[in-house]
């Protein structure tokens, strides 16, 4: 009688390493969701709220949405999938059996990132359109400037989300945010260079992406949005660490989220062939 699982190595060091890698995979899956979900959400919500505030055109065009969706997923999202283990990951208690991938605090972070990105995109577009700085420009040129600023605010803001998401427990306001994963730095450089390239190449910016190169004020709005997104997400993380130090359940170890409050039944019976290992079955 063959068992369904064979323990080929009973070295405790190997077991600890396997547990650590399992925690890394779990954390990285959640980090990918934290990066990609707010970016995708804000792309559609920016169009919706742009119409609600009566902008003459949507803040970002369809081709800009498609581009941002692609470039952010294959660069910023991919980076979080290959993050190394965070400091202190093995000091955390085990996950609750049946814990869902998206718990209440990860859901809160996703909502927060979505609100921040959407607010910055629509807010920057509104400043360009209604701020009075470009009233002497033609309607077409002002709309292109609006989309250029909104487009860059979205993708540079996504960089801020990625930098904060790199560490689920520890602060990203630290030099380590640019260490440990070279792909993180490379992805930032790739996104930034491509944004500048698309913004200033004649024809490509106006004909394909319906925008124009930004001036200093536009870049000021872009970098201000980056700072706002990063700082607010780090403040939320600091509050969560404080609550955890006070004994609050910030890891969803107690009751499930989006359920009826009952943890799912888990089959604790031994697999086939386990009787030959002289192990005792756990009774419910």
């Amino acid at each position: 009688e063959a068992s369904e699982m064979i323990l080929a190595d009973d070295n405790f060091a190997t077991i600890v390493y396997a547990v650590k890698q399992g925690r890394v995979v779990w954390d990285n899956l959640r980090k990918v969701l934290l990066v990609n979900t707010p970016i995708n959400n804000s792309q559609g919500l920016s169009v919706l709220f742009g119409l609600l505030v009566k902008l003459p055109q949507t803040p970002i065009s369809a081709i800009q949405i498609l581009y941002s969706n692609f470039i952010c997923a294959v660069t910023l999202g991919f980076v979080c999938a290959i993050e190394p283990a965070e400091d202190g990951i093995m000091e955390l208690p085990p996950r609750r059996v049946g814990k869902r991938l998206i718990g209440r605090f990860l859901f809160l972070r996703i909502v927060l990132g979505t609100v921040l990105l959407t607010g910055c995109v629509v807010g920057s577009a509104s400043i360009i359109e209604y701020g009075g700085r470009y009233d002497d420009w033609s309607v077409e040129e002002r709309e292109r400037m609006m989309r250029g600023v909104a487009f860059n605010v979205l993708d540079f803001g996504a960089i801020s989300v990625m930098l904060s998401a790199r560490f689920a427990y520890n602060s990203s306001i630290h030099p380590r945010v640019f260490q440990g994963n070279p792909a993180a730095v490379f992805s930032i450089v790739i996104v930034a260079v491509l944004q500048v390239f698309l913004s200033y190449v004649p024809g490509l910016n106006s004909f394909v992406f319906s925008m124009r190169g930004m001036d200093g004020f536009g870049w000021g709005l872009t970098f201000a949005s980056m700072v706002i997104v990063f700082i607010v997400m780090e403040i939320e993380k600091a509050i969560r660490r404080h609550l955890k130090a006070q004994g609050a359940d910030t890891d969803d170890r107690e009751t499930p989220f989006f359920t009826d409050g009952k943890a799912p039944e888990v089959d604790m019976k031994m697999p086939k062939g386990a009787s030959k290992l002289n192990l005792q079955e756990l009774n419910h």
Side-chain angles (χ1 to χ4, degrees):
E1 184 182 8
S3 64
E4 295 179 0
M5 180 182 296
I6 299 175
L7 189 63
D9 185 355
D10 60 357
N11 187 323
F12 279 101
T14 304
I15 296 174
V16 171
Y17 177 77
V19 171
K20 181 178 181 180
Q21 292 305 308
R23 293 188 172 193
V24 170
V25 171
W26 173 269
D27 277 357
N28 288 353
L29 284 173
R30 288 163 60 88
K31 292 173 183 178
V32 171
L33 288 173
L34 177 55
V35 172
N36 286 340
T37 309
I39 297 172
N40 294 340
N41 290 344
S42 61
Q43 291 165 1
L45 290 175
S46 295
V47 173
L48 173 63
F49 283 97
L51 296 175
L52 291 178
V53 299
K54 300 185 183 304
L55 291 172
Q57 291 288 341
T58 57
I60 46 180
S61 64
I63 190 65
Q64 288 174 329
I65 292 175
L66 291 173
Y67 170 83
S68 296
N69 196 26
F70 171 75
I71 196 64
C72 291
V74 300
T75 55
L76 306 179
F78 175 75
V79 163
C80 292
I82 57 173
E83 281 291 326
E86 286 191 47
D87 294 338
I89 193 173
M90 294 301 290
E91 298 174 6
L92 299 173
R95 295 193 305 272
R96 173 178 47 79
V97 175
K99 176 179 177 179
R100 293 177 180 270
L101 192 60
I102 299 181
R104 51 189 168 183
F105 279 90
L106 178 58
F107 179 75
L108 172 63
R109 296 207 78 201
I110 290 174
V111 171
L112 180 62
T114 299
V115 171
L116 288 170
L117 281 178
T118 303
C120 287
V121 171
V122 177
S124 62
S126 299
I127 290 173
I128 296 298
E129 182 63 29
Y130 302 127
R133 186 182 183 90
Y134 303 97
D135 285 349
D136 57 338
W137 288 24
S138 66
V139 174
E140 182 181 2
E141 285 300 306
R142 189 166 62 247
E143 289 177 357
R144 286 182 175 179
M145 173 62 75
M146 177 190 70
R147 281 184 166 172
V149 171
F151 179 52
N152 281 285
V153 165
L154 174 63
D155 287 357
F156 278 96
I159 293 175
S160 294
V161 174
M162 183 273 288
L163 291 175
S164 180
R166 282 199 63 202
F167 301 98
Y169 314 105
N170 302 310
S171 173
S172 294
I173 307 177
H174 191 278
R176 63 170 164 256
V177 76
F178 298 109
Q179 301 170 356
N181 186 359
V185 178
F186 294 151
S187 68
I188 293 173
V189 172
I190 291 172
V191 172
V193 169
L194 287 176
Q195 288 298 126
V196 173
F197 178 79
L198 296 178
S199 295
Y200 290 102
V201 173
L204 183 62
N205 57 4
S206 59
F207 180 74
V208 178
F209 286 89
S210 303
M211 63 181 184
R212 58 163 293 160
M214 296 192 301
D215 56 8
F217 183 74
W219 282 113
L221 289 175
T222 299
F223 292 126
S225 298
M226 285 187 69
V227 172
I228 291 172
V229 172
F230 182 74
I231 293 299
V232 173
M233 294 197 70
E234 285 304 299
I235 290 174
E236 183 276 335
K237 198 189 298 184
I239 293 173
R240 188 155 42 90
R241 286 197 303 271
H242 174 73
L243 292 175
K244 185 174 183 178
Q246 299 298 317
D249 175 28
T250 62
D251 296 315
D252 298 315
R253 293 195 301 271
E254 295 177 2
T255 56
F257 193 47
F258 298 139
T259 68
D260 58 3
K262 297 180 180 179
E265 294 291 334
V266 179
D267 185 6
M268 300 297 291
K269 295 181 180 180
M270 302 301 294
K272 297 178 181 180
S275 57
K276 296 183 180 181
L277 300 177
N278 295 323
L279 298 176
Q280 295 183 352
E281 184 177 297
L282 296 176
N283 295 322
H284 289 287

